[in-house]
Amino acid sequence: MSQATLTQHDFLKKLGLKAENSGAYDGAWRKTKGKVLESKNPATGEVIATVRQATRADYDACVAAAHEAFLRWREVPAPKRGEIVRRMGDRLRAHKDPLGRLISLEMGKILQEGLGEVQEAIDMCDFAVGQSRMLYGLAMHSERPGHAMRESWHPLGVVGVITAFNFPMAVWAWNSMLAYIAGDACVWKPAGTVPLCAIAMTNVVRPVLEEEGFGALAGLVVGPSAEVGEPMLHDARVPLISFTGSTSVGRKVASAVAARFGRTILELGGNNALVVMDDADLDLALPAIVFGSVGTAGQRCTTTRRLIVHEKLAAEVERRLVKAYSGVRIGDPCAQGTLCGPLVTPESVEEMQAALVKVKEQGGEILYGGERVKLKGPLAGGNFVRPAIVRAENHWPIVQEETFAPILYVIRCKDVDDAIAKQNGVPQGLSSSIFTMNVRHAEQFMSAVGSDCGIANVNIGTSGAEIGGAFGGEKETGGGRESGSDAWKAYMRRQTNTVNWSRALPLAQGIQFG
């Protein structure tokens, strides 16, 4: 990080970032000896700062420290753990603006989305504080006289959190804040494209934990898969792995962790559909479609990738979408008024172009966009593309895949049954939505014979889930749940207790022995 960069982005200093940063934290920043990783601004291609990556020795030290901290942390009463999480949330509030700006700078989403992501982490702290007093078990009636049964929940251990680039702060908060109130420790492996976001988040929350003697609860390892990722998957000291990423990598994660009888939370691919019925309020539907498909430059797991529109409205919807897309401002994600920032890497641009070639080969028609966008000045080296609208068929191989870029496939349907069949007719099952004024269609979409996704919305888009609900999907999306509802149970172990307070020893099922 040059002095010019430090001056230009003075908020980086407020987050404790330097020209070269350590990629391992075990209660203190370690003097790592791994290879140097460059963090690049996807809008310019310029290096923001460097990170000295963690080695296998650093990983082992971080897990060992996290486990030792867990053994003490689990004895702290849950409401007290919640109070410490509350203080971490206060730290995030105080640093919301620089954290949001860092997300835009390093990841490329527009500033409003960056700030929104930090707010999501703050909200998650608030949720976890309340949940710390509600780690409820059950009281059950025993079939044996003079016996009492109950079910209780206990801390699990060290949680390995492996996050993707597109939500470089919020997903860690989803996992870590619930893990902390559950009595667990965390070791975080962030994506290699956004290491500064992880280091900054650690810098913001660690003073609260260090003050209490629990800094190692927020373990961090920035490093390659061979040094830190693979060891984490096979490490018996880490009973739970929460992985966010592609379906192909998720298969390997699931297999490796299951082989040692570990647990996984998998948040994998999404191929989300938004259905527009012939009675839909288009003034409501169009903004949802545009944000869902263009927001974060199509790099959300909940991005709207398929638009299933009733054949009666298809031509009108396509006309309105082309007009709306033509007004999308592409450019510096940190600049006010920008609606679509860059893709995260040059490789992401190539993947989008390759997908559009397949679209044409399979018979698709590009109605708008899809090309690379070359901007002038400092943005000349950025990974910019124009969001694409493509007329397609649901069964085409390219439509069945998830391309992590702003490509919207427009698919026609005849009625609600046809729409639901097409919505369900892909391997993924994360988010879905329907726009209709017909209560029967809405209820059918959310019923057992409707959407097969983990999220099914009515008259709102596929993207932008609130933290109060459990987040996750079905089929090749992995089946895991994070964030709200009762997702906290994944971070704890269940125990059934039976107490005999009588003077006899009756056996269950009426068995007579001896």
Side-chain angles (χ1 to χ4, degrees):
M1 189 193 308
S2 67
Q3 188 60 45
T5 304
L6 276 170
T7 304
Q8 182 181 1
H9 304 297
D10 59 351
F11 63 86
L12 298 177
K13 292 188 291 184
K14 297 178 182 178
L15 300 173
L17 295 172
K18 306 172 184 177
E20 181 173 298
N21 303 272
S22 168
Y25 175 80
D26 64 357
W29 289 109
R30 294 179 59 81
K31 294 183 178 180
T32 52
K33 298 180 180 180
K35 294 182 179 179
V36 172
L37 174 66
E38 293 183 336
S39 170
K40 295 184 178 180
N41 180 349
T44 64
E46 297 176 341
V47 175
I48 305 169
T50 63
V51 178
R52 181 70 67 172
Q53 296 184 86
T55 63
R56 175 62 186 269
D58 293 318
Y59 166 79
D60 284 332
C62 287
V63 174
H67 181 71
E68 186 278 330
F70 156 71
L71 295 178
R72 293 182 290 113
W73 182 244
R74 65 182 178 179
E75 296 184 15
V76 176
K80 297 294 184 183
R81 300 193 294 253
E83 168 60 19
I84 293 173
V85 167
R86 183 192 65 77
R87 287 162 50 196
M88 286 192 277
D90 288 343
R91 291 273 302 172
L92 292 175
R93 280 184 176 85
H95 292 79
K96 177 179 176 179
D97 185 74
L99 286 171
R101 292 182 182 279
L102 175 58
I103 292 173
S104 293
L105 182 69
E106 187 177 40
M107 182 266 151
K109 64 175 64 173
I110 64 173
L111 182 56
Q112 279 298 306
E113 290 189 76
L115 294 171
E117 178 171 347
V118 181
Q119 186 61 50
E120 191 167 347
I122 294 168
D123 293 344
M124 197 64 223
C125 292
D126 291 347
F127 179 90
V129 172
Q131 192 66 64
S132 70
R133 293 182 179 270
M134 298 185 292
L135 303 177
Y136 295 139
L138 292 173
M140 296 168 283
H141 290 278
S142 173
E143 68 184 57
R144 289 171 282 184
H147 285 60
M149 289 182 65
R150 61 176 176 256
E151 182 179 272
S152 53
W153 294 85
H154 300 301
L156 187 61
V158 177
V159 177
V161 183
I162 304 175
T163 58
F165 75 88
N166 57 338
F167 279 85
M169 296 183 187
V171 174
W172 173 76
W174 286 0
N175 286 277
S176 62
M177 297 310 159
L178 288 182
Y180 291 152
I181 61 104
D184 301 332
C186 289
V187 175
W188 183 12
K189 181 193 178 304
T193 47
V194 286
L196 301 183
C197 285
I199 293 170
M201 280 291 273
T202 303
N203 275 337
V204 169
V205 303
R206 68 182 176 84
V208 176
L209 294 171
E210 289 175 358
E211 183 179 327
E212 301 293 334
F214 288 107
L217 292 177
L220 177 67
V221 283
V222 177
S225 178
E227 293 291 318
V228 299
E230 286 292 328
M232 183 181 288
L233 299 185
H234 298 281
D235 196 337
R237 297 173 297 176
V238 185
L240 172 64
I241 298 290
S242 176
F243 172 80
T244 303
S246 68
T247 296
S248 59
V249 177
R251 292 185 195 278
K252 298 176 182 177
V253 171
S255 177
V257 179
R260 60 175 176 86
F261 298 104
R263 304 184 190 181
T264 54
I265 299 173
L266 301 175
E267 300 289 357
L268 310 177
N271 196 350
N272 316 293
L274 186 152
V275 174
V276 177
M277 295 306 300
D278 55 346
D279 61 350
D281 181 343
L282 292 187
D283 291 336
L284 200 63
L286 264 294
I289 298 167
V290 175
F291 174 71
S293 55
V294 175
T296 322
Q299 298 172 115
R300 289 186 176 218
C301 49
T302 54
T303 289
T304 303
R305 307 207 179 277
R306 296 176 297 138
L307 175 62
I308 301 173
V309 59
H310 196 284
E311 58 190 9
K312 291 181 180 179
L313 293 181
E316 173 67 8
V317 169
E318 289 175 353
R319 183 188 67 79
R320 289 203 195 187
L321 276 178
V322 169
K323 181 179 179 181
Y325 268 50
S326 65
V328 171
R329 180 176 170 181
I330 301 167
D332 182 357
C334 299
Q336 189 172 4
T338 300
L339 293 180
C340 184
L343 295 182
V344 68
T345 62
E347 291 76 17
S348 298
V349 177
E350 296 297 333
E351 290 170 7
M352 178 177 177
Q353 300 308 305
L356 291 173
V357 169
K358 292 181 181 178
V359 162
K360 294 178 181 178
E361 292 173 350
Q362 294 170 24
E365 178 184 356
I366 299 177
L367 302 178
Y368 181 85
E371 69 272 18
R372 303 169 191 261
V373 175
K374 289 293 184 181
L375 301 177
K376 298 180 180 179
L379 303 178
N383 309 318
F384 296 100
V385 296
R386 198 172 305 281
I389 304 171
V390 177
R391 189 179 292 153
E393 295 292 339
N394 199 64
H395 65 275
W396 291 350
I398 187 60
V399 179
Q400 295 283 307
E401 300 174 9
E402 179 191 37
T403 301
F404 225 58
I407 302 175
L408 178 65
Y409 298 112
V410 182
I411 300 158
R412 301 191 179 199
C413 68
K414 296 181 178 181
D415 53 33
V416 69
D417 292 328
D418 185 32
I420 290 174
K422 287 175 176 173
Q423 138 61 35
N424 295 347
V426 294
Q428 309 84 359
L430 178 52
S431 185
S432 61
S433 72
I434 187 171
F435 278 78
T436 180
M437 302 305 291
N438 187 317
V439 68
R440 289 179 174 173
H441 292 165
E443 291 292 341
Q444 180 179 348
F445 190 76
M446 295 185 292
S447 74
V449 297
S451 168
D452 62 2
C453 292
I455 300 170
N457 298 328
V458 175
N459 291 333
I460 62 171
T462 63
S463 193
E466 297 180 28
I467 62 98
F471 181 89
E474 304 297 332
K475 302 190 295 187
E476 289 191 1
T477 299
R481 293 296 185 272
E482 294 171 316
S483 189
S485 185
D486 65 348
W488 60 270
K489 293 181 178 179
Y491 305 87
M492 305 193 79
R493 59 183 178 88
R494 185 194 311 248
Q495 187 177 81
T496 300
N497 311 121
T498 305
V499 178
N500 178 7
W501 53 271
S502 74
R503 291 182 172 83
L505 191 64
L507 300 178
Q509 294 84 47
I511 293 174
Q512 299 295 321
F513 185 77

